[in-house]
Each structure stands twice: as structure tokens, then as C-alpha cells.
Amino acid sequence: MYDIVIIGAGPSGASAAIFAAKAGKNVLVLDNDKGVTKRAWVENHYGVTEVAGPDLVATGKKQAAKFGAEIVNATVEGLEKTDVGFKIVADQGEYEGQHIILATGFMTDLAEKIGVKTKPGTEPRVKTIIDVGANGKSNVEGIWAAGTTAGVSVHTIITAGDGAKVAINVISEMNGERYVDHDVLKS
């Protein structure tokens, strides 16, 4: 069983995976490779002069894998609550996870199927979002959401930050204390 299963590997999902895997959690990322960032050209991302969306996504996946996240190219078809977490049904197999982070961009159908509350979106062209608290928790215990699907701006830098925030909150809940991750320059 995975500690955290992240559905979606765009900026919010990959960022969540980076933080969670670096914190020592057993992380699985399921991604169907259809995110809108793959069509983006980004010149407004702090610390990056310019980057093509596909390169940004590939780098995020590579960073997450560097810290131990398992990345699987798969389309998730359903989620089921179990006694110990969730069963994730995908076209590439079935997986189990204690916590789920939905980083599904414009898509909320998977969340709605398991009873996660949604509400109208506020961003242009985003019709529906997952109704979460400030920490990223949904109304279904163990299901969190990050990025555009959670109602934050579609800008990659904002969704990446939201993914990190939600991962920190999941890690903190799992650890029973606030988790902080800061690296320092090596001398």
C-alpha cells in the first residue's frame, strides 16, 4: 500500500510528489499524460527564464522520481474507499493508497464518482472544481485536491505551489506534527 497516491503529474501533482517522496513517504503518481501544461509556453515562472510545457512536466516527473516517487502512465477509472484507505482502479492495474491527492486539472469526474463535493469554478474555462478547505482536504476523509482542480489559478507557478502546500499538509497529518522541508547550500 502506498502512503500517498497522486493522480495527475502536472505542476501541482509533480510538486506534491516531490515534497511527499522527499519526506520519505511511499508515493505513487498516476498520470494519463493529457494535462493542459503540455500545450503551454511558460515565461512567467519564478526561477525559470522560459520553458516549454512538456519540458516543465518532464522535469517535474524526473524530480519526483529522483526522491523515490513511482510514476506510472495510466488513466484512473475509479476510486473505492476501503477499511485502510483507497483502492485505485486504473487501465494499468489496481493500486492501494492511504491518502489520495487529486491533481486532475480541469477534470472533477473522478472525484464526483466517489462522493467528493464540487462547486462552480472561478477561473475562465474551468467549469467545476473540487470543494476543499484551505488545507486541500475534501469532504471525503483521505482525499485531498491541489491545483486547478482545487480552484487555484491555472498558472503553473501557482498550481505547483498549491501542490507543495497540500503535500505538506498531508505529510503533517500523517506525521502528527507540522512538517517542514528546507535544504541549505552545501559548502
Side-chain angles (χ1 to χ4, degrees), residues 10 138 142 159 164:
S138 78
T159 61

Side-chain angles (χ1 to χ4, degrees), residues 86-107:
F86 298 90
K87 180 169 94 171
I88 302 95
V89 179
D91 62 353
Q92 299 299 314
E94 293 182 358
Y95 309 89
E96 291 183 331
Q98 183 180 359
H99 291 271
I100 304 292
I101 299 177
L102 298 171
T104 53
F106 288 50
M107 307 304 294

